[in-house]
């Protein structure tokens, strides 16, 4: 026998993972999965907010592509009770749920008023299959009767009577202009968020249509056709 055979046999013992370590690993994986699920739920809940940021910021690179003036801060729909053409009370809150294109004038409706109502109607019709997501609203600012000559053009529009002093709590013209010189855009949550330039002409209405197209595309999940 040589000397090497007399040497004691050496063994290397590797420790096994403890049950607690295995449990810690599984618990960690469950925690990570749970966190991702929580993030997914939060993103789903935040979708309308993300859409609003897209609407008001992404579609207006440096403000050059938007024709209408964005209102900042937005003005939410006030708690008012209007009346319809028959004198019945109407809660302003019932206007929520769809995009609104709003015109304002006294009941006599002069040439400017008729032009605004015409452009309002044409803008809605130009939206094609998306037009049912936009309501035409005429806010009459005095107590005089609405002329019968307007009946045909107002078919399908919402006509509400609201005193001018109450409207001033919500809408406002560009300084130096009157409330009746603009068309106003209200989002489905009741926020006044855009004002088109005063005394808009046909060329301006074409640019306004592009703004409305962008708004409706960016807010496809906010509302549905019809109220």
């Amino acid at each position: 026998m040589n000397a090497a055979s007399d040497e004691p046999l050496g063994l290397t013992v590797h420790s096994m993972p403890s049950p607690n370590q295995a449990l810690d690993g599984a618990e960690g994986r469950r925690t990570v999965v749970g966190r991702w699920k929580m993030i997914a739920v939060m993103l789903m809940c935040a979708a309308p907010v993300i859409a609003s940021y897209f609407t008001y910021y992404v579609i207006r690179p440096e403000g050059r592509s938007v024709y209408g003036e964005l209102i900042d801060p937005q003005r939410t729909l006030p708690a008012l009770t209007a009346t319809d053409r028959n004198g019945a009370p109407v809660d302003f809150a019932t206007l929520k749920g769809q995009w609104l294109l709003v015109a304002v004038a006294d009941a006599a409706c002069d040439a400017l008023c008729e032009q605004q109502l015409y452009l309002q109607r044409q803008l809605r019709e130009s939206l094609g299959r998306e037009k049912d997501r936009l309501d035409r609203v005429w806010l009459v600012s005095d107590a005089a009767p609405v002329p019968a000559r307007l009946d045909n053009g107002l078919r399908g529009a919402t006509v509400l009577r609201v005193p001018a002093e109450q409207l001033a709590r919500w809408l406002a013209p560009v300084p130096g202009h009157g409330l009746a010189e603009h068309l106003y855009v209200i989002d489905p949550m009741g926020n006044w968020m855009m004002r088109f330039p005063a005394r808009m002409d046909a060329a301006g209405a074409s640019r306004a249509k592009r703004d409305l197209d962008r708004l409706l595309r960016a807010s496809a999940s906010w509302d549905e056709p019809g109220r």
Side-chain angles (χ1 to χ4, degrees), residues 30-148:
R30 284 196 294 271
T31 300
V32 171
V33 171
R35 285 175 179 168
W36 278 112
K37 287 182 178 179
M38 183 183 301
I39 291 171
V41 170
M42 291 173 64
L43 287 174
M44 290 176 64
C45 294
V49 177
I50 294 171
S52 69
Y53 275 96
F54 179 86
T55 298
Y56 304 132
Y57 296 104
V58 177
I59 69 169
R60 55 162 186 169
E62 299 180 8
R64 290 196 297 264
S65 66
V66 177
Y67 176 62
E69 177 188 356
L70 293 164
I71 305 304
D72 186 20
Q74 301 165 23
R75 295 192 187 181
T76 191
L77 198 72
L80 295 176
T81 298
T83 56
D84 63 19
R85 292 185 67 178
N86 297 318
V90 178
D91 187 344
F92 238 36
T94 60
L95 293 175
K96 292 183 179 181
Q98 279 189 276
W99 288 93
L100 308 177
L101 186 58
V102 175
V104 180
D106 57 36
C109 197
D110 60 13
L112 171 62
C113 166
E114 291 196 35
Q115 172 73 357
Q116 294 288 77
L117 294 179
Y118 170 77
L119 290 177
Q120 183 192 49
R121 184 171 66 253
Q122 293 301 105
L123 278 169
R124 182 179 182 274
E125 291 301 315
S126 72
L127 297 175
R129 64 182 182 181
E130 298 291 339
K131 69 179 183 180
D132 289 336
R133 294 176 56 204
L134 180 77
D135 278 3
R136 291 184 293 140
V137 177
W138 180 26
L139 299 179
V140 181
S141 58
D142 63 10
V146 174

